[in-house]
Amino acid sequence: MTAIERSRTVAVVGAGTMGQGIAQVALLAGHPVLIYDINDDLATGGVAIVQDRVDRMVAKGRLDRAGAEDAIGRIRATSAVADLAGAALVVEAVVEDVAVKRAVFEALEDVVAPDTLLATNTSSLSVTELAAGLVHPGRFLGLHFFNPAPLLPLVEVVSGFATDPAAAERAYRTVLGWGKTPVRCADTPGFIVNRIARPFYAEAFAVHEEQGADPATIDAVLRESGGFKMGPFQLTDLIGQDVNEAVTRSVWESFFRSPKFTPSLAQRRLVQSGRLGRKSGHGWFPYGPDAEAPAPHTAGPEAAPEKVTAVGDLGPAAGLVELLEEAGIAVTQTEHGGPYIQLPGEGQLVLADGKTSIEFADVVYFDLALDYRGATRIALSAGEDTSERTLSEAVGLFQKLGKKVSVIGDVPGMIVARTVAMLIDLTADAVARGAATAEDIDTAMRLGVNYPLGPSEWHERLGRDWAYDLLHHLDERCPGGRYAPSLALFRLGYAESDEEGDENSVEETA
């Protein structure tokens, strides 16, 4: 199946920001483009905006004058549905309302050819539901562009229940030819990005609701230790709390109120109070000319221990041994027991594993980092029984490595670790249910929301049983199903043990 020929017309229904962006992408790829809107002035205005953007590309050196003039001559506006009759692809980008969108496509079916591809840019509605009632539902699919469409490379190519595989493949190849990075996914709630991304927000909000840390500290830990470009509190203020919560609630409802996707009460209160983020002047944080951004909690200076013992395999934190030695801290290593770092005062420093410090005599937990060498901040948590000396030594140790240290409450799984574990689990479940491949999910999360690693990449790096064990421990301490590891995640861990020859034969267990 080949891409749509560049000589064929691409029509965009809806002259708003997203419609303009999609039209610009198709136009610069070489297609004749029609922008349709029921309001002629809006359609004409949309074309003018796209033409102006093309002109500005010349000024920035991104397009030559001849190419710009050619593109400007290939786009026009219309308010007559009949003008779309010759389009090879029609992409709808109107209001997120099922009735409105279905009316658009029913009108289109009366004028376009039976082989014309019809696509919706919906980010949250069911592609299958939108196709219901169409005469030719096989040529209908989702093409979910991300805003701004001309700049962001990702496009989710969504197949509904009735979508013909050939139609989806033709759309995929067309978008690929436009210079975008398409990913294939089934018509499941949230598609890929809006489904898999929920824990990034939800776990941060949960840590805040559990009084584990304030929003500024949680954001700082996820950025400076986890490697995420923005923290969830800052990001949802930018998106709009009402918009972000609506997507969360939609996914939750669509999954029959699964505890995996439970919305945040704290975010609900923000929305109810009108604190919607930057657009309202206040969200999690205040905005405006006189607003001061809250600072994350950062521990004061403490003396570093002169020597420690690394007990057992530290797993994802094994690189700390080299860093400690480089910083002048003597490290003795022992293979048996652990895994933890034994401090001089007999306390233990343990990588977040879903348990709590209060369960042990004298333990400080430290959070997961994308790269312990590159991380600029590390979170620590301590329980009521943790000695002041142990906490002081733990703080000093990481400060000796050049890290800022944030001490948070005794929250199981901490911040980065529980977030990453949940991302891994949702990805494993989505792959097992045929929503998308692991590779496409990784691509979508890196390009769509700028994650430092895709969830499956995290999974490979951390070890196949790491996320399962952490979530199992979390589920024991926070029952209710939210943290219960999926069967898919269990199977991935078991497959790893099989490869290592750890499985038992039927004869051995009989």
Side-chain angles (χ1 to χ4, degrees):
M1 182 60 65
T2 59
I4 293 171
E5 299 83 356
R6 300 299 171 91
S7 61
R8 300 290 304 278
T9 296
V10 172
V12 178
V13 177
T17 301
M18 184 57 76
Q20 296 162 15
I22 296 170
Q24 180 179 334
V25 171
L27 183 69
L28 293 177
H31 293 275
V33 171
L34 273 173
I35 291 184
Y36 166 85
D37 199 286
I38 194 171
N39 183 313
D40 190 62
D41 289 339
L42 291 178
T44 302
V47 167
I49 289 171
V50 174
Q51 291 174 330
D52 180 63
R53 289 176 183 167
V54 172
D55 267 333
R56 280 185 280 149
M57 291 177 69
V58 176
K60 295 177 181 178
R62 295 166 55 195
L63 188 66
D64 61 38
R65 173 50 60 187
E69 290 178 354
D70 174 65
I72 288 172
R74 284 186 280 103
I75 184 169
R76 63 188 181 91
T78 183
S79 59
V81 176
D83 288 345
L84 278 57
L89 167 65
V90 182
V91 183
E92 164 273 315
V94 302
V95 64
E96 287 285 273
D97 182 282
V98 171
V100 173
K101 290 180 184 288
R102 289 181 67 172
V104 166
F105 289 110
E106 288 170 6
L108 287 170
E109 276 208 313
D110 291 336
V111 297
V112 300
D115 63 345
T116 298
L117 291 183
L118 298 180
T120 175
N121 185 57
T122 184
S123 61
S124 59
L125 301 177
S126 167
V127 171
T128 299
E129 183 178 5
L130 293 177
L134 294 182
V135 177
H136 301 288
R139 44 89 172 269
F140 184 84
L141 69 151
L143 286 180
H144 179 213
F145 289 77
F146 288 73
N147 193 30
L151 298 180
L152 295 184
L154 184 68
V155 179
E156 293 177 324
V157 181
V158 187
S159 292
F161 185 78
T163 301
D164 188 327
E169 184 65 19
R170 187 165 173 80
Y172 180 94
R173 292 185 178 276
T174 297
V175 171
L176 184 65
W178 291 356
K180 295 300 183 182
T181 304
V183 291
R184 299 176 176 90
C185 61
D187 181 27
T188 60
F191 308 144
I192 295 177
V193 172
N194 281 331
R195 174 179 179 168
I196 303 300
R198 295 349 295 163
F200 180 67
Y201 311 108
E203 294 314 308
F205 299 163
V207 170
H208 173 53
E209 290 175 342
E210 294 163 16
Q211 301 294 296
D214 60 275
T217 299
I218 295 169
D219 272 5
V221 171
L222 282 162
R223 287 195 311 267
E224 300 172 41
S225 183
F228 294 92
K229 300 301 181 184
M230 294 180 71
F233 295 92
Q234 178 189 13
L235 181 55
T236 53
D237 269 356
L238 180 62
I239 295 169
Q241 298 303 329
D242 52 340
V243 174
N244 181 261
E245 197 225 14
V247 173
T248 298
R249 192 166 292 276
S250 173
V251 172
W252 177 57
E253 293 282 2
S254 297
F255 276 109
F256 308 103
R257 301 195 172 190
S258 165
K260 296 279 187 181
F261 301 100
T262 301
S264 161
L265 179 59
Q267 188 180 40
R268 175 95 288 252
R269 292 292 181 256
L270 274 186
V271 174
Q272 289 173 333
S273 68
R275 293 190 170 190
L276 306 182
R278 289 182 178 273
K279 63 186 177 184
S280 69
H282 205 300
W284 295 109
F285 306 120
Y287 299 93
D290 300 322
E292 293 186 10
H297 171 270
T298 302
E302 298 285 356
E306 295 182 358
K307 59 182 180 178
V308 297
T309 301
V311 181
D313 181 1
L314 298 180
L320 281 175
V321 172
E322 182 178 356
L323 296 180
L324 291 169
E325 291 174 336
E326 290 175 1
I329 298 175
V331 181
T332 301
Q333 293 185 266
T334 176
E335 296 181 359
H336 303 293
Y340 56 82
I341 294 174
Q342 184 74 55
L343 299 168
E346 300 304 317
Q348 296 174 354
L349 187 58
V350 182
L351 176 63
D353 59 5
K355 300 177 183 178
T356 59
S357 294
I358 201 171
E359 301 172 46
F360 306 98
D362 199 8
V363 163
V364 170
Y365 275 104
F366 66 98
D367 208 350
L368 180 69
L370 173 67
D371 170 22
Y372 283 101
R373 182 177 294 277
T376 57
R377 182 181 297 272
I378 296 293
L380 303 179
S381 69
E384 296 176 4
D385 296 332
T386 304
S387 69
E388 290 184 9
R389 177 177 177 179
T390 294
L391 181 57
S392 173
E393 288 176 342
V395 170
L397 182 144
F398 280 105
Q399 288 175 339
K400 184 72 171 179
L401 301 183
K403 317 299 182 186
K404 296 177 182 177
V405 176
S406 293
V407 179
I408 69 170
D410 190 15
V411 179
M414 302 191 69
I415 299 172
V416 180
R418 72 195 278 179
T419 299
V420 169
M422 286 292 284
L423 291 171
I424 290 171
D425 185 57
L426 288 194
T427 295
D429 185 62
V431 171
R433 294 177 185 275
T437 65
E439 293 76 15
D440 275 352
I441 292 175
D442 279 356
T443 298
M445 302 315 290
R446 282 189 280 102
L447 297 183
V449 279
N450 212 12
Y451 284 4
L453 292 175
S456 293
E457 293 171 321
W458 273 108
H459 200 186
E460 290 296 331
R461 173 182 289 199
L462 296 169
R464 287 301 185 104
D465 57 354
W466 178 86
Y468 179 87
D469 289 346
L470 187 143
L471 291 176
H472 177 68
H473 295 151
L474 254 174
D475 183 49
E476 290 181 330
R477 288 149 186 82
C478 307
R482 179 185 182 120
Y483 300 108
S486 66
L487 177 60
L489 190 61
F490 172 79
R491 284 174 169 156
L492 285 176
Y494 191 78
E496 168 96 341
S497 68
D498 281 357
E499 292 168 5
E500 296 172 353
D502 292 337
E503 78 279 17
N504 292 320
S505 68
V506 174
E507 290 79 8
E508 288 172 333
T509 57

